[in-house]
Coordinates of all heavy atoms in Angstrom, one line a residue:
M1 N 16.4 -6.8 17.9 CA 17.4 -6.9 16.9 C 17.0 -6.2 15.7 O 15.9 -6.0 15.3 CB 17.6 -8.4 16.6 CG 18.8 -8.6 15.6 SD 19.1 -10.5 15.5 CE 20.3 -10.5 14.3
D2 N 18.1 -5.6 15.0 CA 17.8 -4.8 13.8 C 18.9 -5.2 12.7 O 19.9 -4.5 12.5 CB 18.0 -3.3 14.1 CG 17.7 -2.3 13.0 OD1 17.2 -2.8 12.0 OD2 18.1 -1.1 13.1
A3 N 18.6 -6.3 12.1 CA 19.6 -6.9 11.2 C 19.9 -6.1 10.0 O 21.0 -6.1 9.5 CB 19.1 -8.3 10.7
N4 N 19.0 -5.3 9.5 CA 19.3 -4.4 8.3 C 19.6 -3.0 8.6 O 19.7 -2.1 7.7 CB 18.2 -4.6 7.2 CG 16.8 -4.1 7.8 OD1 16.7 -3.8 9.0 ND2 15.8 -4.2 6.9
N5 N 19.7 -2.7 9.9 CA 20.2 -1.4 10.4 C 19.4 -0.3 9.9 O 19.9 0.8 9.5 CB 21.7 -1.2 10.1 CG 22.6 -2.2 10.7 OD1 22.5 -2.5 11.9 ND2 23.5 -2.8 9.9
N6 N 18.0 -0.4 9.9 CA 17.2 0.7 9.5 C 16.5 1.4 10.6 O 15.6 2.2 10.5 CB 16.1 0.2 8.5 CG 15.1 -0.8 9.1 OD1 15.3 -1.2 10.2 ND2 14.2 -1.2 8.3
G7 N 16.9 1.0 11.8 CA 16.3 1.7 13.0 C 15.0 1.1 13.5 O 14.4 1.7 14.4
I8 N 14.5 0.1 12.9 CA 13.2 -0.5 13.2 C 13.5 -2.0 13.7 O 14.2 -2.7 13.0 CB 12.3 -0.6 12.0 CG1 12.0 0.8 11.5 CG2 11.0 -1.3 12.4 CD1 11.3 0.9 10.2
D9 N 13.0 -2.3 14.8 CA 13.1 -3.6 15.4 C 12.6 -4.6 14.4 O 11.6 -4.5 13.8 CB 12.4 -3.7 16.7 CG 12.5 -5.2 17.3 OD1 13.5 -5.3 18.0 OD2 11.5 -5.9 17.1
D10 N 13.3 -5.7 14.2 CA 13.0 -6.7 13.1 C 11.6 -7.3 13.3 O 10.9 -7.5 12.3 CB 14.1 -7.9 13.1 CG 15.4 -7.4 12.6 OD1 15.5 -6.4 11.9 OD2 16.4 -8.1 12.9
S11 N 11.2 -7.6 14.5 CA 9.9 -8.1 14.8 C 8.8 -7.2 14.3 O 7.8 -7.6 13.7 CB 9.7 -8.6 16.2 OG 9.8 -7.5 17.1
T12 N 9.0 -5.9 14.7 CA 8.0 -4.9 14.2 C 8.0 -4.7 12.7 O 6.9 -4.7 12.1 CB 8.5 -3.5 14.8 OG1 8.5 -3.6 16.2 CG2 7.4 -2.4 14.4
E13 N 9.2 -4.8 12.0 CA 9.2 -4.7 10.6 C 8.6 -5.9 9.9 O 7.8 -5.8 9.0 CB 10.7 -4.6 10.1 CG 10.8 -4.3 8.7 CD 12.3 -4.1 8.3 OE1 13.2 -4.0 9.1 OE2 12.5 -3.9 7.1
L14 N 8.8 -7.1 10.5 CA 8.2 -8.2 9.9 C 6.7 -8.2 10.0 O 5.9 -8.6 9.1 CB 8.7 -9.5 10.5 CG 10.1 -9.9 10.2 CD1 10.7 -11.1 11.0 CD2 10.3 -10.2 8.7
R15 N 6.2 -7.7 11.1 CA 4.7 -7.7 11.3 C 4.1 -6.6 10.3 O 3.1 -6.8 9.7 CB 4.3 -7.1 12.7 CG 4.1 -8.3 13.7 CD 3.4 -7.8 15.0 NE 3.8 -6.5 15.5 CZ 4.9 -6.3 16.3 NH1 5.6 -7.3 16.6 NH2 5.1 -5.1 16.7
A16 N 4.8 -5.5 10.2 CA 4.4 -4.4 9.2 C 4.4 -5.0 7.8 O 3.5 -4.7 7.0 CB 5.2 -3.2 9.4
R17 N 5.4 -5.7 7.5 CA 5.5 -6.2 6.0 C 4.4 -7.2 5.8 O 3.8 -7.3 4.8 CB 6.8 -6.8 5.9 CG 7.9 -5.8 5.6 CD 9.2 -6.4 5.3 NE 10.3 -5.4 5.1 CZ 11.4 -5.6 4.7 NH1 11.8 -6.8 4.3 NH2 12.3 -4.6 4.6
G18 N 4.2 -8.1 6.8 CA 3.1 -9.1 6.7 C 1.7 -8.4 6.6 O 0.9 -8.8 5.8
N19 N 1.5 -7.4 7.4 CA 0.3 -6.6 7.3 C 0.1 -5.9 5.8 O -1.0 -6.0 5.3 CB 0.1 -5.5 8.4 CG -0.1 -6.1 9.7 OD1 -0.4 -7.2 9.9 ND2 0.2 -5.2 10.7
W20 N 1.2 -5.4 5.3 CA 1.1 -4.7 4.1 C 0.8 -5.8 3.0 O 0.1 -5.5 2.1 CB 2.4 -4.0 3.8 CG 2.4 -3.4 2.4 CD1 3.3 -3.6 1.4 CD2 1.5 -2.4 2.0 NE1 3.0 -2.9 0.3 CE2 1.9 -2.1 0.6 CE3 0.3 -1.8 2.4 CZ2 1.1 -1.3 -0.2 CZ3 -0.4 -0.9 1.6 CH2 0.0 -0.7 0.3
N21 N 1.4 -6.9 3.0 CA 1.2 -8.0 2.0 C -0.3 -8.5 2.1 O -0.9 -8.6 1.1 CB 2.1 -9.2 2.3 CG 3.5 -9.0 1.9 OD1 3.7 -8.1 1.0 ND2 4.4 -9.6 2.6
E22 N -0.8 -8.5 3.3 CA -2.3 -8.8 3.5 C -3.1 -7.7 2.8 O -4.1 -8.0 2.1 CB -2.6 -9.0 5.0 CG -4.0 -9.4 5.2 CD -4.3 -9.6 6.6 OE1 -3.4 -10.1 7.4 OE2 -5.4 -9.3 7.1
I23 N -2.8 -6.4 3.1 CA -3.6 -5.3 2.5 C -3.5 -5.2 1.1 O -4.5 -5.0 0.4 CB -3.2 -4.0 3.3 CG1 -3.6 -4.0 4.7 CG2 -3.7 -2.8 2.5 CD1 -3.0 -3.0 5.6
K24 N -2.3 -5.5 0.5 CA -2.1 -5.6 -0.9 C -3.0 -6.6 -1.5 O -3.6 -6.4 -2.6 CB -0.6 -5.9 -1.3 CG 0.2 -4.7 -1.2 CD 1.7 -4.9 -1.5 CE 2.2 -6.1 -2.2 NZ 3.6 -6.1 -2.5
G25 N -3.0 -7.8 -0.9 CA -4.0 -8.8 -1.4 C -5.4 -8.4 -1.3 O -6.1 -8.7 -2.3
Q26 N -5.9 -7.7 -0.3 CA -7.2 -7.3 -0.2 C -7.5 -6.2 -1.3 O -8.6 -6.2 -1.9 CB -7.5 -6.6 1.1 CG -7.5 -7.6 2.2 CD -7.7 -7.0 3.6 OE1 -8.2 -6.0 3.7 NE2 -7.3 -7.7 4.6
A27 N -6.5 -5.3 -1.6 CA -6.6 -4.4 -2.7 C -6.7 -5.0 -4.0 O -7.6 -4.6 -4.8 CB -5.4 -3.3 -2.6
K28 N -5.9 -6.1 -4.2 CA -6.1 -6.7 -5.5 C -7.3 -7.5 -5.7 O -7.9 -7.6 -6.8 CB -4.8 -7.7 -5.7 CG -3.5 -6.9 -5.9 CD -2.4 -7.8 -6.4 CE -2.0 -8.8 -5.4 NZ -0.8 -9.6 -5.8
Q29 N -7.9 -7.9 -4.6 CA -9.2 -8.5 -4.7 C -10.3 -7.5 -5.0 O -11.2 -7.8 -5.8 CB -9.6 -9.3 -3.4 CG -8.8 -10.5 -3.2 CD -9.1 -11.2 -1.8 OE1 -9.9 -10.7 -1.0 NE2 -8.5 -12.3 -1.6
K30 N -10.2 -6.3 -4.4 CA -11.2 -5.3 -4.5 C -11.1 -4.7 -6.0 O -12.1 -4.5 -6.6 CB -11.0 -4.2 -3.5 CG -12.0 -3.0 -3.7 CD -12.0 -2.0 -2.6 CE -12.9 -0.9 -2.8 NZ -14.3 -1.2 -3.0
W31 N -9.9 -4.5 -6.4 CA -9.6 -3.9 -7.7 C -8.8 -4.9 -8.5 O -7.6 -4.8 -8.5 CB -8.9 -2.6 -7.6 CG -9.7 -1.5 -6.9 CD1 -10.9 -0.9 -7.3 CD2 -9.4 -0.9 -5.7 NE1 -11.3 0.0 -6.4 CE2 -10.3 0.1 -5.3 CE3 -8.3 -1.0 -4.7 CZ2 -10.3 0.9 -4.2 CZ3 -8.3 -0.2 -3.6 CH2 -9.3 0.7 -3.3
G32 N -9.4 -5.8 -9.2 CA -8.8 -6.9 -9.9 C -7.7 -6.5 -10.9 O -6.9 -7.3 -11.3
S33 N -7.7 -5.2 -11.3 CA -6.7 -4.7 -12.3 C -5.4 -4.4 -11.7 O -4.4 -4.2 -12.5 CB -7.2 -3.6 -13.1 OG -7.5 -2.5 -12.3
L34 N -5.3 -4.4 -10.4 CA -4.0 -4.0 -9.8 C -3.1 -5.1 -9.7 O -3.4 -6.2 -9.5 CB -4.3 -3.5 -8.3 CG -5.0 -2.2 -8.2 CD1 -5.2 -1.9 -6.7 CD2 -4.4 -1.1 -8.9
T35 N -1.8 -4.8 -9.8 CA -0.7 -5.8 -9.8 C 0.2 -5.4 -8.6 O 0.0 -4.4 -8.0 CB 0.1 -5.8 -11.1 OG1 0.8 -4.6 -11.2 CG2 -0.7 -6.1 -12.3
D36 N 1.1 -6.3 -8.3 CA 2.1 -6.0 -7.3 C 2.9 -4.7 -7.6 O 3.2 -4.0 -6.7 CB 3.0 -7.2 -7.0 CG 2.4 -8.3 -6.2 OD1 1.4 -8.1 -5.5 OD2 2.9 -9.5 -6.4
D37 N 3.2 -4.7 -8.8 CA 4.0 -3.4 -9.3 C 3.1 -2.1 -9.0 O 3.7 -1.1 -8.6 CB 4.3 -3.5 -10.8 CG 5.4 -4.5 -11.0 OD1 6.2 -4.9 -10.1 OD2 5.6 -4.9 -12.2
D38 N 1.8 -2.2 -9.3 CA 1.0 -1.0 -9.0 C 1.0 -0.6 -7.5 O 0.9 0.5 -7.2 CB -0.4 -1.3 -9.4 CG -0.6 -1.5 -10.9 OD1 0.2 -0.8 -11.7 OD2 -1.4 -2.3 -11.3
L39 N 1.2 -1.7 -6.7 CA 1.0 -1.4 -5.2 C 2.4 -1.1 -4.5 O 2.5 -1.0 -3.4 CB 0.3 -2.6 -4.6 CG -1.2 -2.6 -4.9 CD1 -1.8 -4.0 -4.6 CD2 -2.0 -1.5 -4.3
D40 N 3.5 -1.2 -5.3 CA 4.8 -0.9 -4.7 C 4.8 0.6 -4.4 O 4.6 1.5 -5.3 CB 5.9 -1.2 -5.8 CG 6.3 -2.6 -5.8 OD1 5.8 -3.4 -4.9 OD2 7.0 -3.1 -6.7
Y41 N 5.1 0.8 -3.2 CA 5.1 2.2 -2.7 C 6.5 2.7 -2.5 O 7.3 2.0 -1.8 CB 4.3 2.3 -1.4 CG 4.3 3.7 -0.8 CD1 3.5 4.7 -1.3 CD2 5.2 4.0 0.2 CE1 3.4 6.0 -0.7 CE2 5.1 5.2 0.8 CZ 4.3 6.3 0.3 OH 4.3 7.5 0.9
E42 N 6.9 3.8 -3.0 CA 8.2 4.4 -2.7 C 8.1 5.7 -1.9 O 7.2 6.5 -2.2 CB 8.9 4.8 -4.0 CG 9.3 3.6 -4.9 CD 9.9 4.0 -6.2 OE1 10.9 4.8 -6.2 OE2 9.5 3.6 -7.3
E43 N 8.8 5.7 -0.9 CA 8.8 6.9 0.1 C 9.0 8.2 -0.8 O 9.9 8.3 -1.6 CB 9.9 6.8 1.2 CG 9.8 7.7 2.3 CD 8.6 7.4 3.2 OE1 8.2 6.2 3.3 OE2 7.9 8.4 3.6
G44 N 8.1 9.1 -0.4 CA 8.2 10.5 -1.1 C 7.5 10.6 -2.4 O 7.5 11.6 -3.0
K45 N 6.9 9.5 -2.9 CA 6.2 9.5 -4.2 C 4.7 9.1 -3.9 O 4.1 8.4 -4.8 CB 6.9 8.5 -5.1 CG 8.2 8.9 -5.5 CD 8.8 8.0 -6.6 CE 10.1 8.6 -7.0 NZ 10.7 7.7 -8.2
Q46 N 4.1 9.6 -2.9 CA 2.8 9.2 -2.6 C 1.8 9.7 -3.6 O 0.9 9.0 -3.9 CB 2.4 9.8 -1.1 CG 1.0 9.4 -0.7 CD 0.7 10.0 0.6 OE1 1.6 10.6 1.3 NE2 -0.5 9.8 1.2
D47 N 2.0 11.0 -4.1 CA 1.0 11.5 -5.1 C 1.1 10.7 -6.3 O 0.0 10.4 -6.9 CB 1.4 12.9 -5.3 CG 1.0 13.9 -4.2 OD1 0.2 13.5 -3.4 OD2 1.6 15.0 -4.1
E48 N 2.2 10.3 -6.8 CA 2.3 9.5 -8.0 C 1.7 8.1 -7.8 O 1.0 7.6 -8.7 CB 3.8 9.3 -8.3 CG 4.5 10.5 -8.8 CD 6.0 10.2 -9.2 OE1 6.4 9.1 -9.5 OE2 6.8 11.2 -9.0
W49 N 1.9 7.6 -6.5 CA 1.3 6.3 -6.3 C -0.2 6.3 -6.3 O -0.8 5.5 -6.9 CB 1.8 5.8 -4.9 CG 1.4 4.4 -4.4 CD1 1.9 3.3 -5.0 CD2 0.6 4.1 -3.4 NE1 1.4 2.2 -4.3 CE2 0.5 2.7 -3.3 CE3 -0.2 4.8 -2.6 CZ2 -0.2 2.0 -2.4 CZ3 -1.0 4.1 -1.6 CH2 -1.0 2.7 -1.6
F50 N -0.8 7.3 -5.6 CA -2.2 7.4 -5.6 C -2.7 7.7 -7.0 O -3.8 7.3 -7.4 CB -2.7 8.5 -4.7 CG -2.9 8.0 -3.3 CD1 -2.1 8.5 -2.3 CD2 -3.8 7.1 -2.9 CE1 -2.2 8.1 -0.9 CE2 -3.9 6.6 -1.6 CZ -3.1 7.1 -0.6
G51 N -2.0 8.5 -7.8 CA -2.4 8.8 -9.2 C -2.5 7.5 -10.0 O -3.4 7.3 -10.9
R52 N -1.4 6.6 -9.8 CA -1.4 5.4 -10.5 C -2.6 4.5 -10.1 O -3.2 3.9 -11.0 CB 0.0 4.7 -10.2 CG 0.2 3.4 -11.0 CD 1.6 2.8 -10.8 NE 1.9 2.5 -9.4 CZ 2.9 3.1 -8.8 NH1 3.7 4.0 -9.4 NH2 3.2 2.8 -7.5
L53 N -2.9 4.5 -8.8 CA -4.0 3.7 -8.4 C -5.3 4.2 -9.0 O -6.2 3.4 -9.3 CB -4.1 3.6 -6.9 CG -2.9 2.9 -6.2 CD1 -3.1 2.9 -4.7 CD2 -2.7 1.5 -6.7
Q54 N -5.5 5.5 -9.0 CA -6.6 6.1 -9.6 C -6.8 5.8 -11.0 O -7.9 5.4 -11.4 CB -6.5 7.6 -9.3 CG -7.7 8.4 -9.9 CD -7.6 9.9 -9.9 OE1 -6.5 10.4 -9.9 NE2 -8.8 10.6 -9.7
H55 N -5.8 5.8 -11.7 CA -5.8 5.5 -13.2 C -6.2 4.0 -13.4 O -7.0 3.7 -14.2 CB -4.4 5.8 -13.8 CG -4.4 5.4 -15.3 ND1 -5.0 6.2 -16.2 CD2 -3.7 4.4 -15.8 CE1 -4.8 5.5 -17.4 NE2 -4.0 4.5 -17.2
K56 N -5.7 3.1 -12.6 CA -5.9 1.7 -12.8 C -7.3 1.3 -12.2 O -7.9 0.4 -12.8 CB -4.9 0.9 -12.0 CG -3.5 0.9 -12.6 CD -3.3 0.1 -13.9 CE -3.4 -1.4 -13.6 NZ -2.6 -2.2 -14.3
T57 N -7.8 2.0 -11.2 CA -9.1 1.5 -10.6 C -10.3 2.3 -11.1 O -11.4 1.8 -11.0 CB -9.0 1.6 -9.1 OG1 -8.9 3.0 -8.7 CG2 -7.9 0.8 -8.5
G58 N -10.1 3.6 -11.6 CA -11.2 4.4 -11.9 C -11.8 5.0 -10.7 O -12.8 5.8 -10.9
E59 N -11.3 4.8 -9.6 CA -11.8 5.4 -8.3 C -11.2 6.8 -8.2 O -10.2 7.1 -8.7 CB -11.5 4.6 -7.1 CG -12.0 3.2 -7.1 CD -13.4 3.0 -6.7 OE1 -13.9 3.9 -6.0 OE2 -14.0 1.9 -6.9
T60 N -11.9 7.6 -7.3 CA -11.2 8.9 -6.9 C -10.1 8.6 -5.9 O -10.1 7.6 -5.2 CB -12.2 9.9 -6.3 OG1 -12.7 9.4 -5.1 CG2 -13.4 10.1 -7.3
I61 N -9.2 9.6 -5.8 CA -8.1 9.4 -4.9 C -8.6 9.4 -3.4 O -8.2 8.7 -2.6 CB -7.0 10.5 -5.1 CG1 -6.2 10.2 -6.4 CG2 -6.1 10.5 -3.9 CD1 -5.2 11.3 -6.8
D62 N -9.6 10.3 -3.2 CA -10.3 10.3 -1.8 C -10.9 8.9 -1.5 O -10.8 8.4 -0.4 CB -11.3 11.4 -1.8 CG -10.7 12.8 -1.6 OD1 -9.5 12.8 -1.2 OD2 -11.4 13.7 -1.9
D63 N -11.5 8.3 -2.5 CA -12.1 7.0 -2.2 C -11.1 5.9 -1.9 O -11.2 5.0 -1.1 CB -13.0 6.5 -3.4 CG -14.3 7.3 -3.5 OD1 -14.7 7.9 -2.5 OD2 -14.9 7.3 -4.6
I64 N -10.0 6.0 -2.7 CA -8.9 5.1 -2.4 C -8.3 5.3 -1.1 O -8.0 4.3 -0.3 CB -7.8 5.2 -3.6 CG1 -8.4 4.8 -4.9 CG2 -6.6 4.3 -3.2 CD1 -7.6 5.2 -6.1
K65 N -8.0 6.5 -0.7 CA -7.5 6.9 0.6 C -8.4 6.3 1.7 O -7.9 5.8 2.7 CB -7.2 8.4 0.8 CG -6.0 8.9 0.0 CD -5.9 10.4 0.2 CE -4.7 10.9 -0.6 NZ -4.5 12.4 -0.4
H66 N -9.7 6.6 1.5 CA -10.6 6.2 2.5 C -10.6 4.6 2.7 O -10.7 4.1 3.8 CB -12.1 6.6 2.3 CG -12.2 8.1 2.5 ND1 -12.0 8.7 3.7 CD2 -12.5 9.1 1.6 CE1 -12.2 10.1 3.6 NE2 -12.5 10.3 2.3
W67 N -10.5 3.9 1.6 CA -10.5 2.4 1.6 C -9.3 2.0 2.4 O -9.4 1.1 3.3 CB -10.5 1.9 0.2 CG -10.5 0.3 0.3 CD1 -11.6 -0.4 0.4 CD2 -9.4 -0.5 0.2 NE1 -11.2 -1.8 0.5 CE2 -9.9 -1.9 0.4 CE3 -8.0 -0.3 0.2 CZ2 -9.0 -2.9 0.4 CZ3 -7.2 -1.4 0.2 CH2 -7.7 -2.7 0.3
F68 N -8.1 2.6 2.1 CA -6.9 2.2 2.9 C -7.0 2.5 4.3 O -6.5 1.7 5.2 CB -5.6 2.8 2.2 CG -5.1 2.0 1.0 CD1 -5.3 2.5 -0.3 CD2 -4.4 0.9 1.2 CE1 -4.8 1.8 -1.3 CE2 -3.8 0.2 0.2 CZ -4.1 0.6 -1.1
Q69 N -7.6 3.7 4.7 CA -7.7 4.0 6.1 C -8.6 3.1 6.8 O -8.3 2.7 7.9 CB -8.3 5.4 6.2 CG -7.3 6.6 5.8 CD -7.9 7.9 5.7 OE1 -9.2 8.1 5.7 NE2 -7.1 8.9 5.6
R70 N -9.7 2.6 6.2 CA -10.6 1.7 6.7 C -9.9 0.3 6.9 O -10.1 -0.5 7.8 CB -11.8 1.5 5.9 CG -12.8 2.6 6.0 CD -14.1 2.3 5.4 NE -14.1 1.8 4.1 CZ -14.1 2.5 2.9 NH1 -14.1 3.8 2.9 NH2 -14.0 1.9 1.8
T71 N -9.0 0.0 5.9 CA -8.5 -1.4 5.9 C -7.2 -1.5 6.9 O -7.0 -2.5 7.5 CB -8.0 -1.7 4.5 OG1 -9.1 -1.6 3.6 CG2 -7.4 -3.0 4.4
F72 N -6.5 -0.4 7.1 CA -5.4 -0.4 8.0 C -6.0 -0.4 9.4 O -5.6 -0.7 10.3 CB -4.5 0.9 7.8 CG -3.4 0.7 6.8 CD1 -3.5 1.2 5.6 CD2 -2.3 -0.1 7.1 CE1 -2.4 1.1 4.7 CE2 -1.2 -0.2 6.2 CZ -1.4 0.3 5.0

């Protein structure tokens, strides 16, 4: 079923959202200064998003990317 008509099966979408919420929680634990707003991701704005995370955490973008790759 695809209740919101986005082309993604609802069960797959719910699992992905649940995983993302878990990862956001882990990121907030690792970098205590991050908020939910900091972790909101908008399609097509990846560079801005990583820049915001870099500014808030003091980490390099490469280090942040590697952490997310290991966590996913």
Side-chain angles (χ1 to χ4, degrees):
M1 186 169 173
D2 184 12
N4 59 359
N5 297 315
N6 65 356
I8 301 172
D9 180 82
D10 291 339
S11 63
T12 301
E13 186 173 358
L14 287 173
R15 268 195 323 275
R17 286 184 183 189
N19 289 346
W20 178 239
N21 286 333
E22 184 179 325
I23 291 166
K24 281 182 8 178
Q26 290 177 23
K28 288 192 299 187
Q29 287 178 359
K30 177 169 179 57
W31 299 295
S33 62
L34 293 179
T35 66
D36 284 335
D37 288 341
D38 294 326
L39 292 164
D40 281 346
Y41 177 82
E42 293 180 48
E43 194 67 37
K45 295 188 175 185
Q46 181 177 359
D47 290 339
E48 291 176 30
W49 186 70
F50 276 116
R52 184 171 60 241
L53 295 181
Q54 179 184 29
H55 176 75
K56 289 285 290 221
T57 65
E59 301 276 346
T60 67
I61 290 177
D62 284 341
D63 287 342
I64 294 167
K65 286 180 180 181
H66 290 297
W67 183 85
F68 277 101
Q69 288 170 347
R70 286 189 313 270
T71 304
F72 272 105

